Amino acid sequence: MLLRPENLDTSAKLAEFDQWLTAKLERIKDSSKFSTEIKSLCKCIHDLSEHLDNFSDHELCQIDKLCDAVISVSNSLITGDSFAQDEKRVSNFFEAFFNLLFLTTGATDNNLKNHFLIKLKDDDIKALIPKKNNSKKNITFRLIDIPATTKSDYIAKSLASCFVGASEPHNATVKTEPFFDLSLYSKVLLKEYVALILEDLEEVMQLWAVCHSYIALSSASESENLGKYLLNACTIFKVRGSVSATGGHITEDLLRKKLTAIGLRPNLDFNLNDVNVGSEEVVENGKRKSKTRAYDFILPYNVDNWEPKPKLFIQSQFYAGDSGSVSHKVVDQTKSSRDFTLDKYGAARFVEYLDGAGYYASLRGDLSHMLSFENTSSFFQVKSILVRLRRELQVIEFLTPVEFEHAILVSDSSTKEDIFNLLESDGYPKEEIERIASVSISLGYVEEDNSAFTISNERIDIARRLLILDIAANNSHEITAVQKKSQKYLLVPGYGADKGILESSLINMVTSKCKQFTVTGLDFINDIEWLLDEGVLKRC
C-alpha cells in the first residue's frame, strides 16, 4: 500500500527518533561470544581440578604442576578415532585454558602477541615449532620458525596438533622430518607460553584464587553452578570489546531480515556485503591518501536494467555508547562522500540508518547534523524499517513483493487488470509492475490462474500484517496526553512523535479495506501482537 509522504523539520525528526529509540541491541551476557566463553572456562576449570586436587592449595598452580595437569587433560580428550577431531578437541581446551590465564591475570592476547619470541630468546630456546602437513593419511611434522607475532589461538592450534601427533593412538602413523621428539617440543613450548602469561607469583596466586573460589562455589549447590557467577563479571569485561564491535553487524543483519520478509532477494534486490563505489584522493593532516567510498546498503542492488533510475544509498550507524571519535569522523566525511557518489550516480538518494543510546545523549549534535544535511532524503531506525524504508522504496518507484500482495488484498476482483490498474494509480510504471509480478510468481509468493492472483500460504500472514501497519500509518494522527493514558491507541513511527490511531477504529478500516481476505477478530489480535513484538507499533 502506498504510504503517505511525510514532511518533518529536524526537531520533529529528533522527537520521533527519541520515541522509537532502540538503546542497545544485545546485552553482553546475551551474546553468543559470552555464552561460549563462560561454558568453555567453566569446563576448563572443572577438567583441571580433577588433576589438581580441586585447587586445594596454591602450590598446585606452580607452572610445572599446572602444565602437567594440562597435559593430562589433553591426553584424556584424545580418543584415537580421528586425528582431526582429536586435534579440534585439544585445541579448544588449550584456547579455553589460555583464556582462563588471561582472565585471571589481566594480561591480554593482543599485548603479549609480540613477546613470545623474546621469552624464548631470554630462556635460550630456539624459536622453532612443529608444523604438520595438510595430508590426512600421511601426517608429517617439520620444524618451522615461530612467527614474529603469535596470538594464543595460533599457539593453541599448534600445540594441540603436536600433542595429538605424539599421543599413543596416533604416534605410530605420524612422522617427523628430520627426526625430532615431538612430545618434547610440545611440552617445552607449552611451559614457555604459560610462563609468559604467569609472569610471577602474583599471577599464579590470582589464578589459584579464582579457580579455588570457583570450585568452592560450584560445590555449594547441587542444583546450580554458583561458580559461573564469579566468572561472569570478569568475562563481561574480557569480551565486551569484541561484542561491541559486532554491534553494527547486528543492525545490518536485522535490516537484511526485514528486507527478506518483504520479499526482496539477497544479492539481487539487496547486497550482503558493503558496496564499494570507488576511491577518492583526499588530503588528511597534510598528506594525500586514497579514500575508499563504500555504503552498507544500496537498494535496489543488482536489478537488471534499473539504472539510471534512482537508488537508495544507505549508511548504518548504531552507537549504544559514546563512540565519539568514530561518529564525528563519519559526520565529517558525509559531505565529501556524498559529493563523490553524486558525481558517479546523479540520481542517488541518501538515507541514514541510525539508532542507539549514544545518539540520544552524547552524540546528539552529530545526529542533528546527519538528519539536517540538505541531501539526507530520510532516516530510519531499527523499529521503523517497515515504514520509513519501505516508503523510500516507494519514492523511487521500486516495487517489492509485499506491495504487489497488498494490491491483491485490497483489489475488487484480484484480476491482473484490476491489480495493475491499482498499482499504476499509485504511480508505478507498467514495466515495474510487470517486473514484480514476474518475480513474485517465480518465487512462489503468488499464483496466477485465469488472470487472477492469489497469495501463497507462506506469504499471507506477513502481507496482511504489513497491510494493517500501512493502514495504521496512513491514518495516524496526533495523540494527546489524555488519549495516551487510555491504552486504547496504537502509536506508529514514520510521521513524527505521538502519531497513532484508535485500535477499535483500525480494525474497522482493515476490514473494509481488505477485500480479498476475511480478517477475523482473532487474526487481527494476533497480527497486532506480532507488530507489537516487532516493535513497529506501541500500545498507549
Side-chain angles (χ1 to χ4, degrees):
M1 176 175 287
L2 198 64
L3 291 160
R4 61 186 173 93
E6 58 92 1
N7 184 22
L8 303 175
D9 60 20
T10 301
S11 62
K13 292 176 183 176
L14 290 170
E16 180 185 330
F17 181 92
D18 294 346
Q19 188 167 73
W20 294 93
L21 176 73
T22 298
K24 59 184 179 180
L25 286 169
E26 186 177 55
R27 295 191 310 163
I28 293 174
K29 287 199 295 185
D30 295 333
S31 68
S32 59
K33 173 75 174 175
F34 175 85
S35 177
T36 300
E37 187 123 350
I38 278 291
K39 287 179 181 177
S40 65
L41 287 170
C42 291
K43 186 176 188 307
C44 178
I45 295 175
H46 273 295
D47 290 344
L48 288 172
S49 70
E50 295 177 3
H51 302 274
L52 294 171
D53 193 22
N54 287 325
F55 293 98
S56 57
D57 192 314
H58 65 83
E59 294 288 338
L60 295 169
C61 284
Q62 291 178 358
I63 290 175
D64 286 338
K65 294 179 180 179
L66 189 62
C67 288
D68 287 343
V70 169
I71 293 169
S72 296
V73 174
S74 300
N75 289 334
S76 71
L77 297 173
I78 299 171
T79 65
D81 292 340
S82 162
F83 191 101
Q85 290 302 313
D86 284 341
E87 187 179 35
K88 183 177 180 180
R89 279 191 293 271
V90 176
S91 177
N92 288 341
F93 167 68
F94 275 125
E95 286 197 46
F97 173 61
F98 294 147
N99 280 332
L100 175 64
L101 298 186
F102 290 135
L103 184 79
T104 56
T105 64
T108 67
D109 197 6
N110 199 47
N111 286 342
L112 293 180
K113 67 182 180 182
N114 298 316
H115 290 242
F116 193 41
L117 287 185
I118 298 172
K119 170 69 174 168
L120 294 175
K121 181 181 178 182
D122 289 345
D123 292 344
D124 199 24
I125 295 174
K126 289 185 178 180
L128 299 173
I129 194 166
K131 171 77 172 178
K132 72 177 179 67
N133 59 7
N134 294 323
S135 174
K136 294 182 179 180
K137 292 184 179 180
N138 302 311
I139 297 174
T140 303
F141 283 83
R142 294 180 175 85
L143 292 173
I144 65 168
D145 292 331
I146 294 177
T149 299
T150 50
K151 299 197 76 172
S152 61
D153 58 347
Y154 173 83
I155 299 295
K157 291 172 184 175
S158 299
L159 291 182
S161 180
C162 293
F163 274 102
V164 173
S167 67
E168 185 175 340
H170 298 286
N171 60 11
T173 59
V174 169
K175 294 193 303 180
T176 59
E177 293 183 358
F179 176 78
F180 58 88
D181 190 335
L182 190 60
S183 176
L184 178 62
Y185 269 92
S186 58
K187 291 176 181 178
V188 169
L189 291 173
L190 171 64
K191 181 179 178 181
E192 286 294 307
Y193 195 70
V194 171
L196 175 67
I197 305 174
L198 298 178
E199 193 173 7
D200 55 34
L201 178 60
E202 186 172 342
E203 273 81 24
V204 172
M205 292 298 291
Q206 287 171 191
L207 171 67
W208 173 78
V210 170
C211 294
H212 175 77
S213 301
Y214 173 88
I215 293 298
L217 285 167
S218 298
S219 303
S221 172
E222 294 182 0
S223 60
E224 186 177 11
N225 179 9
L226 299 177
K228 72 174 183 179
Y229 296 111
L230 174 68
L231 302 180
N232 276 0
C234 302
T235 306
I236 286 171
F237 279 99
K238 183 175 182 297
V239 305
R240 71 188 309 162
S242 57
V243 172
S244 297
T246 64
H249 298 299
I250 295 174
T251 50
E252 292 173 22
D253 290 343
L254 284 171
L255 177 52
R256 291 189 178 99
K257 288 179 181 178
K258 298 290 176 68
L259 294 174
T260 301
I262 65 175
L264 299 190
R265 303 161 296 172
N267 280 327
L268 290 174
D269 298 315
F270 66 91
N271 52 286
L272 292 175
N273 299 295
D274 291 356
V275 183
N276 187 345
V277 297
S279 297
E280 180 183 16
E281 293 295 321
V282 299
V283 177
E284 288 185 1
N285 299 322
K287 297 181 180 179
R288 296 187 66 83
K289 59 173 64 176
S290 179
K291 179 72 68 174
T292 299
R293 300 302 186 187
Y295 288 83
D296 296 312
F297 292 90
I298 295 181
L299 306 177
Y301 172 54
N302 196 24
V303 173
D304 289 340
N305 303 315
W306 182 263
E307 294 180 13
K309 291 179 285 188
K311 289 187 175 186
L312 305 182
F313 287 70
I314 301 169
Q315 292 288 28
S316 172
Q317 304 292 337
F318 188 97
Y319 293 122
D322 181 5
S323 300
S325 60
V326 177
S327 177
H328 299 326
K329 190 175 182 181
V330 169
V331 173
D332 293 341
Q333 292 178 354
T334 295
K335 185 179 185 305
S336 59
S337 178
R338 289 181 179 181
D339 290 343
F340 176 81
T341 303
L342 287 169
D343 284 341
K344 301 187 69 173
Y345 304 94
R349 283 178 63 88
F350 301 106
V351 180
E352 295 297 323
Y353 181 20
L354 304 162
D355 221 333
Y359 275 130
Y360 178 82
S362 55
L363 305 177
R364 190 65 166 187
D366 293 346
L367 173 62
S368 181
H369 282 307
M370 297 298 288
L371 298 185
S372 59
F373 274 131
E374 184 179 353
N375 54 12
T376 297
S377 299
S378 188
F379 78 99
F380 61 95
Q381 298 165 262
V382 170
K383 294 173 183 174
S384 59
I385 293 171
L386 294 174
V387 175
R388 282 188 159 275
L389 181 57
R390 283 182 53 234
R391 185 172 59 208
E392 285 301 303
L393 293 172
Q394 292 174 358
V395 168
I396 64 172
E397 297 177 354
F398 177 68
L399 267 171
T400 67
V402 80
E403 312 301 338
F404 191 77
E405 292 158 356
H406 284 180
I408 297 173
L409 287 174
V410 303
S411 65
D412 291 325
S413 65
S414 78
T415 62
K416 181 176 181 179
E417 181 182 5
D418 196 1
I419 292 163
F420 273 49
N421 285 339
L422 278 173
L423 292 171
E424 284 188 78
S425 68
D426 283 340
Y428 291 104
K430 188 173 182 179
E431 60 270 19
E432 176 63 4
I433 301 170
E434 290 173 343
R435 181 193 71 81
I436 201 60
S438 176
V439 168
S440 297
I441 292 169
S442 66
L443 293 174
Y445 294 166
V446 302
E447 297 176 0
E448 184 181 15
D449 185 21
N450 295 324
S451 293
F453 289 99
T454 56
I455 303 171
S456 69
N457 291 333
E458 290 75 18
R459 292 288 305 171
I460 189 64
D461 285 345
I462 185 66
R464 188 182 65 249
R465 288 163 180 169
L466 294 190
L467 180 64
I468 292 172
L469 175 63
D470 289 1
I471 294 171
N474 281 340
N475 293 277
S476 63
H477 52 82
E478 189 85 25
I479 304 300
T480 67
V482 174
Q483 290 171 328
K484 286 179 70 174
K485 292 179 181 179
S486 70
Q487 295 293 302
K488 296 179 181 180
Y489 287 80
L490 295 167
L491 292 180
V492 61
Y495 298 93
D498 295 332
K499 297 298 190 298
I501 187 171
L502 187 65
E503 189 169 352
S504 58
S505 297
L506 178 59
I507 189 171
N508 292 329
M509 294 177 186
V510 170
T511 303
S512 62
K513 193 74 175 177
C514 192
K515 300 172 183 176
Q516 294 300 317
F517 191 92
T518 302
V519 181
T520 66
L522 182 59
D523 285 334
F524 183 79
I525 291 171
N526 289 336
D527 292 345
I528 293 298
E529 291 301 320
W530 184 88
L531 291 166
L532 289 167
D533 289 342
E534 286 289 299
V536 75
L537 289 182
K538 289 182 181 179
R539 183 171 276 123
C540 66

